[in-house]
């Protein structure tokens, strides 16, 4: 078994695990702290649900749409985190890495998801490049490529 055959499933499982970890953290935060926070609380629940759903679908396969969805979930969570610490989200703001340790763990999970997706993309491009057969001229066109006799 080649390294490429082992790397692809390992990356797929790792991406699903980081998404599920992010979903678990957001679900835990929803239940423990943000359940009654207007608009933001349901957004935590939505993020958790979508993270779990995309993670489960990634275990089945890794089509381009699922990779885009995984990146979108991670980027959305990171964007919400940044917005809540700068301009606020629907009037909700937080400071630093509070609540601890969930905010740091969430940042690590979402950044890990993006890094693993980038690794997948880089290795997939290399696999496709290596697997590409050499370009051949079709038999019907070979005659036109011959130089005319002198």
């Amino acid at each position: 078994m080649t390294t490429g055959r082992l790397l692809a499933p390992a990356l797929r499982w790792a991406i699903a695990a980081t998404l599920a970890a992010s979903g678990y953290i957001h679900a835990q935060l929803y239940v423990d702290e943000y359940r009654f926070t207007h608009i933001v609380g349901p957004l935590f629940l939505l993020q958790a649900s979508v993270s779990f759903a995309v993670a489960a679908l990634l275990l089945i396969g890794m089509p381009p749409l699922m990779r885009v969805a995984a990146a979108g979930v991670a980027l959305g969570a990171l964007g919400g985190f940044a917005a809540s610490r700068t301009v606020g989200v629907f009037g909700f703001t937080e400071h630093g890495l509070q609540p601890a340790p969930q905010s740091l763990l969430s940042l690590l999970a979402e950044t890990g998801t993006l890094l693993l997706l980038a690794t997948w993309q880089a290795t997939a491009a290399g696999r496709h490049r290596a697997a590409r057969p050499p370009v051949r001229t079709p038999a019907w066109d070979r005659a036109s490529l011959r130089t005319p006799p002198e």
Side-chain angles (χ1 to χ4, degrees):
M1 194 170 242
T2 64
T3 305
R5 285 187 155 181
L6 293 175
L7 184 62
L11 279 173
R12 195 173 77 208
W13 278 84
I15 293 166
T18 56
L19 275 176
S22 174
Y24 176 78
I25 292 165
H26 281 83
Q28 179 189 23
L29 286 170
Y30 171 78
V31 170
D32 293 344
E33 298 185 30
Y34 299 119
R35 183 178 2 185
F36 300 111
T37 304
H38 183 66
I39 299 177
V40 173
L43 289 176
F44 268 75
L45 189 59
L46 177 66
Q47 197 279 339
S49 302
V50 172
S51 291
F52 286 134
V54 173
L57 290 171
L58 285 175
L59 294 177
I60 297 169
M62 192 102 157
L65 182 60
M66 283 296 100
R67 293 192 303 268
V68 169
V73 169
L75 286 171
L78 288 171
F81 181 86
S84 72
R85 271 120 183 105
T86 54
V87 296
V89 179
F90 300 106
F92 176 80
T93 58
E94 290 185 309
H95 303 287
L97 291 177
Q98 295 301 319
Q102 292 93 338
S103 57
L104 178 61
L105 294 174
S106 178
L107 285 172
L108 291 172
E110 288 135 13
T111 304
T113 299
L114 294 174
L115 289 173
L116 289 166
L117 284 166
T119 303
W120 171 279
Q121 197 61 36
T123 58
R127 280 194 308 267
H128 291 305
R129 198 174 315 118
R132 214 176 299 159
V135 177
R136 295 186 182 176
T137 308
W140 55 268
D141 198 31
R142 286 188 192 139
S144 66
L145 294 177
R146 294 186 187 142
T147 56
E150 293 184 25

